[in-house]
């Protein structure tokens, strides 16, 4: 079965760090665009970061310089290293596979992991 | 940065047709994707590349585009279609989501 399972969320103080993981099964993360998307409580979807098949990485301005996306091909796992966390980073974080479309659409999503930044 | 504009809410009676729009100043040159999100669940792709449907998505869901406005159309609306709907495009190397539209089935 093709699926994504996130882990690593939790409660963290402002200024702290957290690493999210997203384990893929049924496909390899290195063969697809992979992205992180977040959703603050009661709000809409917000794109965070993407890693291309070739390894290039891109970030939303709101997280640039603080977050790092990476992948471990041997473990077929996507990561999001989050440093210097802010209260406004509080959200459910989803990983998603860019698996269809002439311009990549996200066809597989994980169940999400909650990150709460609060003192 | 690129902006996608969706109506905050759309209401429709069961069995009727719902239309959700997504405007952007250059959508005519971009492929638009649509996602459905029910409360407490992850988003689900329902239309990609303006009008293609992933396997498993009912034919009642369709997409179209006219000029810079993309439209998600849901025919014969059912109670189970009540959800938030988001459009999405790529703007160079960035992903952009619309603000979302809450579809209410009356």
């Amino acid at each position: 079965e093709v699926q994504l399972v996130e882990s690593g969320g939790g409660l963290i103080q402002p200024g702290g760090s957290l690493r999210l993981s997203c384990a893929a099964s049924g496909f390899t993360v290195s063969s697809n665009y992979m992205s992180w998307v977040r959703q603050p409580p009661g709000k809409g979807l917000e794109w965070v970061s993407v890693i291309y098949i070739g390894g290039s990485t891109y970030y939303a301005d709101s997280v640039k310089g603080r977050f790092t996306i990476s992948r471990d091909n041997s473990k077929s796992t996507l990561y999001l290293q989050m440093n210097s966390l802010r209260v406004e980073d509080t959200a459910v974080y989803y990983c998603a596979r860019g698996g269809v479309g002439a311009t990549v659409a996200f066809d597989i999503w994980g169940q999400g992991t909650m990150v709460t930044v609060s003192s | 940065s690129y902006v996608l504009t969706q109506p905050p809410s759309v209401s429709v009676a069961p069995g009727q047709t719902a239309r959700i729009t997504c405007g952007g100043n250059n959508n005519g040159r971009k492929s638009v994707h649509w996602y459905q999100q029910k409360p407490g669940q992850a988003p689900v792709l329902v239309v990609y590349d303006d009008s293609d449907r992933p396997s498993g998505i009912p034919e009642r869901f369709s997409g179209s585009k006219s000029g810079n406005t993309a439209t998600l159309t849901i025919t014969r609306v059912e109670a189970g279609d009540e959800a938030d709907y988001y459009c999405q495009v790529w703007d160079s190397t960035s992903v952009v989501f619309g603000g979302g539209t809450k579809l209410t089935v009356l």
Side-chain angles (χ1 to χ4, degrees), chain A residues 30-109:
Chain A
S30 59
S31 299
N32 294 269
Y33 284 44
M34 296 296 298
S35 192
W36 288 95
V37 176
R38 67 185 182 184
Q39 186 169 36
K43 297 190 176 181
L45 302 175
E46 179 188 1
W47 173 71
V48 174
S49 181
V50 65
I51 184 167
Y52 285 8
I53 295 172
S56 298
T57 59
Y58 300 94
Y59 301 89
D61 287 343
S62 57
V63 306
K64 201 172 295 182
R66 301 188 298 123
F67 289 12
T68 302
I69 189 172
S70 64
R71 67 191 181 203
D72 184 330
N73 296 339
S74 66
K75 296 181 179 179
S76 205
T77 299
L78 180 73
Y79 301 101
L80 185 68
Q81 177 67 44
M82 304 186 295
N83 299 330
S84 303
L85 282 161
R86 305 168 180 168
V87 170
E88 54 266 34
D89 294 320
T90 295
V92 175
Y93 284 74
Y94 296 100
C95 61
R97 182 184 83 168
V100 293
T103 64
V104 171
F106 300 109
D107 62 336
I108 303 295
W109 294 67

Side-chain angles (χ1 to χ4, degrees), chain A residues 33 35 37 39 43-47 50 52 58-61 94 100-112, chain B residues 1 30-33 35 37 40-45 47-49 54 84 86 88 90 92-99:
Chain A
Y33 284 44
S35 192
V37 176
Q39 186 169 36
K43 297 190 176 181
L45 302 175
E46 179 188 1
W47 173 71
V50 65
Y52 285 8
Y58 300 94
Y59 301 89
D61 287 343
Y94 296 100
V100 293
T103 64
V104 171
F106 300 109
D107 62 336
I108 303 295
W109 294 67
Q111 83 287 354
Chain B
S1 60
K30 299 180 182 296
S31 290
V32 181
H33 314 307
Y35 302 86
Q37 186 182 34
Q41 298 183 19
V44 172
L45 180 68
V47 167
Y48 66 96
D49 288 351
D84 294 324
Y86 297 90
Q88 177 248 311
W90 283 82
S92 183
T93 56
S94 296
V95 174
V96 181
F97 286 98

